[in-house]
Amino acid sequence: MKLSVESLSFRYIGKKEAALTDINLEATGGELLFLVGGNGSGKTTLLSCIAGLMPDIIEGEISGQILLNGDKLGGSNKSPLLGFVLQEAEVYLFPRVEEEISFPLQNSGFSPAEIEKRVQEIADVFDIADLLGREMNTLSGGERQIVTIVTALIKDPPILLLDEPFEQLDPDAADNLLKLLQTIADKGKIIIIAVRSFDYVSSYGNRLIILRNGKIIASDSALATHKQSSLVPECLHSIALSASHRLKRENSTVTTGNRDVVCTRDLCYKYIQGGGIQDINLQLTPGETLAIMGPNGAGKTTLLKHFIGLLKAQKGMVIVMGQDAAKVPVPVLAQNIGILFQNPDDQIFNERIDKEIIWSLKTKRHCSWEKATAECQPIIENLGLKKIQKLHPHSVSRSYRQLIALATVLSSQPSLLILDEPCKSLDATHTSQLMSNLLSQSCGINPSIIMVTHDPYLTWAYSDRVALLVNGRLLAIGTPEEILCNQELTTQARLSKHPFVKFLQNRGQA
Amino acid sequence: MKIALHTGAKFAAMCLALIAVVFTVELWQMVFWIVLCFLLAYLAGVFGDLIKRLLPFIYIVLLMLLIHSLVNPQNLTYWWYFGLEGLEYATRIGMRLIGIVLLANLMLLTTSSHELINYIGRLHPDLGIIFGLMLSGLPVMRNQMQTTLDVQAARGLDYHDRLLGRIAAYIAVIVPVIIQSINRAYYMAQLLYLRGYTGQRKVLEERWNGLDWLLFFSSSLLLSIAIYWRFAHC
């Protein structure tokens, strides 16, 4: 089996520049191909083209052709042949898992008995038989990812495309997924995975293709990762990144003897449907950066919500800057706390970028619009948003929207910053830009920071201490070296299979 | 023994029974309807779920009883503070409501949404899909609403403020929810294509068996009896 893309170009409707120009690539059955590129490099566009979404579903101008075994894909042959796992894994069609998985079969007119048989078979293969009766909205990120992949595979397509499949997953879950994909590839299918970092490429891929600005700039064996990675600094492997810089704050301004910014005492919060956190004891000293890591569903976000009063402790206490967080209303507590959530689209609502930032400051301070405008100018300039400040927030890319959300958070000069997966969909260049903006003293603030992340590199490079949260309990807390180099702890926190953690531990032993 | 009723038969029977409940005025007949629903639910093994879904409506009915017995203008005879005429009126309305809720939930509880989607799809193929997408979209919208409320509160938005503030707050919450819904719709369109939905779904014919017909005729019979009682005896 052979997939070949020949001189493919694509331009989105209403855009001047082409998203893809003159793409040529070939893949054969049994191959695990990595498509590496930074934000806006055209990875998603290329996968969508191969999946046949252009130009009917996504409008634009397409030229060139995509052939499978010499036959043209899409076009007259309307029935789609490919499995495509979208980056937006949280989007699904039907309320129940079983319906979701069986939908493609229903569309091809299988009888109910046969549908049931096929779904049962594939569920056994992927070991998800117990999920079939569940509701989609009760699944964890990892479970939903597997369901999406199974749905893409149910009609046994020759090609499986995955767009950033590891974003929602903890490192061990990502590793398991890669092993699973490898077994699928071994059965003769073509698998193409789009990623924005070289992290997993050399250990699992057969081949890598590097995209930048809509062009293929290199195509090589996956073993040549080290040679090629210098071409795209935005996708650098965590290990390579860690060699170049480690951007910690020289926070000499920490005044000892000052009271803790955040302090929790025996904090408990249980959900009725299970899960939650238990017996959390944490202290955050002024000027410190604390990373919270742990597997999917360990209660990280639940813990964060207590610091801003969105959840009230069922047992125990949370003291934030001397106040009992459960007793102060959220908007009052928010005046000195900035919290950056995962998805900027959950909050952006103004029609201009600068208005969004100014609104935030005005709401927090209850001051006049003019005063807020004047105070926001330095933030807008420092974050490099000056040029685009009059544009509509949804007309700029996602990574810019994340910067806008950050600006809204920084505008009130909070003394405590809470970050929930701040760099989830950002490439290495954007990540370091965002983090250095956060940590640089140029903004005139030196907040204490709590950040939740799955990325061991981010933790290692930017935090002073790491707290591991497993099954709702605090497993350990210590410096990044102490935690990440400890084999036992990282195994329990499902971090041990991340290439960067492996690298740190190997180096420690040597 | 597993009894397999077709969705179409259940749907038809439910509609007939609903009309019958609306026509019923006699209290003992309403009790009969409610007992019948519970009996069927018990036989189908969904008794507990049915009670759970009924509970919020019980509160509404109790509230109705209270209000009507206190302030219904037709109240003439009083027992303590409670007017008996209003109480009787509210009882009738309340039991009718409970009957309707029971019937609808009995249908929903014994039918998987997949079967329901398929059945509605028989009326029109796209209608079934729309119904299914709507069912899956509701909890997502609710979650999105909660997320955005949380985020904006953490940005300092106080939506317990005075009226003008509340309107501004409404915009700050509703705009991201709408934008996210549009985004979601965009990806759902891609998913529909990727999963081979062409709008020309083959609709599965259902052939009614003896049991389906039995259900259909017995509910027709009950409806005729209810109508007979309504017009011959009142």
Side-chain angles (χ1 to χ4, degrees):
Chain A
M1 189 172 42
K2 196 173 125 198
L3 169 79
S4 50
V5 177
E6 289 170 8
S7 55
L8 177 77
S9 297
F10 183 80
R11 189 171 58 83
Y12 283 100
I13 199 159
K15 289 269 166 71
K16 282 201 195 78
E17 285 152 39
L20 294 175
T21 24
D22 199 28
I23 300 285
N24 290 289
L25 70 87
E26 276 187 5
T28 47
E31 229 177 359
L32 196 69
L33 193 81
F34 275 91
L35 200 62
V36 190
N39 293 133
S41 59
K43 302 185 300 281
T44 304
T45 314
L46 178 53
L47 289 187
S48 308
C49 281
I50 295 174
L53 290 171
M54 319 326 198
D56 288 348
I57 309 294
I58 301 174
E59 284 179 275
E61 224 172 78
I62 188 167
S63 64
Q65 52 186 356
I66 300 159
L67 306 167
L68 182 66
N69 298 331
D71 297 327
K72 211 167 173 216
L73 271 178
S76 59
N77 179 13
K78 269 289 173 195
S79 70
L81 283 161
L82 313 184
F84 184 15
V85 177
L86 299 181
Q87 184 175 6
E88 286 72 20
E90 67 269 28
V91 180
Y92 51 88
L93 294 177
F94 292 98
R96 276 182 62 225
V97 173
E98 205 177 351
E99 288 154 16
E100 185 76 8
I101 296 177
S102 62
F103 182 62
L105 295 176
Q106 288 171 21
N107 286 325
S108 350
F110 284 88
S111 73
E114 194 161 354
I115 290 175
E116 204 183 320
K117 192 172 136 251
R118 280 228 193 179
V119 170
Q120 223 23 272
E121 272 171 17
I122 201 162
D124 288 338
V125 172
F126 287 90
D127 201 21
I128 55 159
D130 52 329
L131 295 184
L132 287 181
R134 298 256 306 267
E135 303 276 323
M136 284 299 281
N137 62 347
T138 63
L139 299 185
S140 73
E143 288 169 336
R144 197 173 297 157
Q145 187 70 270
I146 293 292
V147 169
T148 320
I149 291 170
V150 168
T151 314
L153 284 172
I154 185 105
K155 281 177 74 185
D156 203 24
I159 301 175
L160 180 63
L161 311 165
L162 300 107
D163 194 0
E164 301 272 10
F166 312 124
E167 225 170 38
Q168 312 276 342
L169 305 179
D170 56 55
D172 279 15
D175 193 78
N176 288 341
L177 177 58
L178 275 160
K179 289 210 178 86
L180 183 73
L181 291 174
Q182 219 167 27
T183 58
I184 297 169
D186 288 343
K187 286 179 192 148
K189 292 193 196 302
I190 299 172
I191 295 188
I192 305 181
I193 310 175
V195 288
R196 57 166 185 280
S197 132
F198 285 101
D199 279 1
Y200 292 102
V201 175
S202 55
S203 25
Y204 288 99
N206 299 102
R207 220 143 55 79
L208 71 96
I209 285 171
I210 300 175
L211 265 183
R212 187 185 229 181
N213 293 331
K215 295 190 187 84
I216 291 183
I217 59 167
S219 166
D220 207 332
S221 146
L223 295 171
T225 305
H226 292 294
K227 198 177 80 199
Q228 301 292 356
S229 63
S230 57
L231 289 172
V232 270
E234 65 268 30
C235 305
L236 274 185
H237 197 291
S238 307
I239 299 171
L241 277 172
S242 70
S244 58
H245 57 94
R246 186 170 182 190
L247 227 174
K248 278 216 186 115
R249 281 181 290 178
E250 310 101 35
N251 45 3
S252 48
T253 52
V254 177
T255 39
T256 45
N258 222 346
R259 58 163 188 237
D260 292 335
V261 180
V262 174
C263 172
T264 71
R265 272 182 230 138
D266 303 324
L267 171 64
C268 285
Y269 190 94
K270 294 267 177 211
Y271 292 102
I272 308 160
Q273 64 269 33
I277 49 174
Q278 211 172 346
D279 301 331
I280 305 286
N281 285 297
L282 263 185
Q283 280 89 35
L284 185 74
T285 51
E288 184 188 29
T289 305
L290 174 74
I292 299 175
M293 302 188 81
N296 291 118
K300 300 185 295 292
T301 305
T302 307
L303 179 59
L304 277 196
K305 283 185 171 174
H306 282 90
F307 299 145
I308 184 92
L310 288 171
L311 290 176
K312 315 275 182 211
Q314 288 168 345
K315 247 167 59 194
M317 243 184 162
V318 183
I319 310 286
V320 181
M321 285 177 284
Q323 293 166 301
D324 185 345
K327 299 216 171 91
V328 184
V330 181
V332 177
L333 207 58
Q335 287 178 358
N336 293 313
I337 303 177
I339 177 162
L340 183 63
F341 287 90
Q342 287 187 16
N343 191 345
D345 295 345
D346 287 340
Q347 60 183 69
I348 290 176
F349 73 99
N350 279 293
E351 75 283 9
R352 263 174 58 166
I353 288 171
D354 51 352
K355 276 193 183 177
E356 183 73 29
I357 300 165
I358 297 163
W359 179 86
S360 212
L361 185 64
K362 182 183 170 290
T363 318
K364 272 196 183 178
R365 293 273 176 80
H366 302 289
C367 62
S368 72
W369 186 266
E370 287 71 27
K371 190 161 172 279
T373 312
E375 271 191 54
C376 283
Q377 283 314 311
I379 293 283
I380 293 175
E381 262 170 53
N382 279 333
L383 293 182
L385 298 171
K386 183 88 184 162
K387 261 186 287 176
I388 56 166
Q389 64 172 334
K390 286 181 182 155
L391 296 179
H392 196 286
H394 284 278
S395 68
V396 298
S397 71
R398 161 87 187 244
S399 43
Y400 271 118
R401 281 204 295 283
Q402 188 73 349
L403 268 186
I404 297 167
L406 179 69
T408 65
V409 167
L410 291 179
S411 65
S412 66
Q413 310 208 337
S415 39
L416 171 62
L417 258 178
I418 299 170
L419 314 170
D420 191 1
E421 294 276 7
C423 306
K424 199 172 88 177
S425 47
L426 303 182
D427 61 29
T429 307
H430 284 104
T431 300
S432 84
Q433 191 193 350
L434 184 112
M435 291 309 288
S436 58
N437 271 319
L438 257 174
L439 299 178
S440 68
Q441 308 281 340
S442 61
C443 294
I445 38 174
N446 188 25
S448 311
I449 298 175
I450 298 178
M451 73 175 171
V452 161
T453 181
H454 280 312
D455 184 351
Y457 167 70
L458 203 65
T459 303
W460 187 82
Y462 297 105
S463 70
D464 301 312
R465 282 196 303 160
V466 190
L468 289 184
L469 202 62
V470 178
N471 286 330
R473 285 170 188 276
L474 205 57
L475 181 69
I477 187 160
T479 64
E481 284 83 359
E482 282 167 13
I483 299 287
L484 294 178
C485 297
N486 184 323
Q487 207 145 25
E488 199 185 323
L489 289 178
T490 47
T491 308
Q492 282 191 55
R494 294 173 60 80
L495 291 166
S496 59
K497 288 178 183 158
H498 193 279
F500 183 63
V501 175
K502 279 189 198 161
F503 163 78
L504 284 179
Q505 293 180 353
N506 286 338
R507 200 182 57 174
Q509 281 164 7
Chain B
M1 188 184 72
K2 199 178 171 219
I3 302 171
L5 283 166
H6 283 105
T7 314
K10 271 191 279 186
F11 192 72
M14 186 195 69
C15 289
L16 292 171
L18 275 180
I19 299 171
V21 167
V22 171
F23 271 113
T24 313
V25 278
E26 296 277 329
L27 278 181
W28 67 265
Q29 285 179 17
M30 290 192 187
V31 173
F32 167 76
W33 281 114
I34 291 170
V35 170
L36 183 68
C37 283
F38 280 133
L39 192 71
L40 286 173
Y42 180 73
L43 289 177
V46 293
F47 190 75
D49 293 324
L50 192 66
I51 296 287
K52 229 181 276 169
R53 294 205 180 182
L54 189 64
L55 267 182
F57 292 96
I58 298 271
Y59 295 130
I60 294 176
V61 169
L62 287 179
L63 199 69
M64 270 166 52
L65 287 178
L66 189 72
I67 291 173
H68 273 289
S69 61
L70 288 178
V71 299
N72 193 312
Q74 257 136 38
N75 282 339
L76 291 171
T77 38
Y78 282 89
W79 174 74
W80 214 24
Y81 289 109
F82 303 109
L84 295 183
E85 283 78 8
L87 198 67
E88 197 205 329
Y89 176 75
T91 312
R92 199 167 290 154
I93 300 277
M95 285 177 92
R96 199 172 282 166
L97 176 72
I98 288 177
I100 292 170
V101 169
L102 280 177
L103 277 169
N105 275 311
L106 195 59
M107 164 92 194
L108 289 174
L109 282 171
T110 53
T111 316
S112 73
S113 45
H114 162 69
E115 284 171 314
L116 207 61
I117 290 165
N118 245 334
Y119 177 71
I120 296 176
R122 286 182 56 198
L123 306 176
H124 188 281
D126 288 335
L127 210 62
I129 299 299
I130 292 168
F131 183 71
L133 296 183
M134 195 188 70
L135 277 185
S136 76
L138 287 176
V140 175
M141 285 271 270
R142 207 164 45 220
N143 288 346
Q144 181 64 51
M145 193 80 184
Q146 192 54 51
T147 309
T148 303
L149 278 172
D150 283 357
V151 178
Q152 303 296 37
R155 286 174 77 189
L157 184 69
D158 192 351
Y159 42 86
H160 306 295
D161 219 3
R162 64 203 189 287
L163 185 68
L164 205 68
R166 232 180 295 168
I167 294 169
Y170 183 70
I171 292 172
V173 173
I174 209 73
V175 169
V177 173
I178 291 173
I179 288 175
Q180 289 285 60
S181 304
I182 294 172
N183 284 343
R184 197 178 132 82
Y186 176 76
Y187 294 118
M188 280 168 98
Q190 297 185 13
L191 280 185
L192 279 173
Y193 175 83
L194 290 167
R195 298 191 180 159
Y197 179 68
T198 50
Q200 289 144 9
R201 238 163 106 95
K202 237 208 276 175
V203 171
L204 298 167
E205 289 293 315
E206 65 176 36
R207 201 159 284 158
W208 286 13
N209 54 26
L211 211 63
D212 292 327
W213 286 112
L214 180 71
L215 180 69
F216 180 74
F217 283 123
S218 48
S219 50
S220 314
L221 189 70
L222 283 172
L223 173 61
S224 344
I225 293 172
I227 292 177
Y228 173 76
W229 268 91
R230 175 80 159 88
F231 294 108
H233 284 257
C234 291

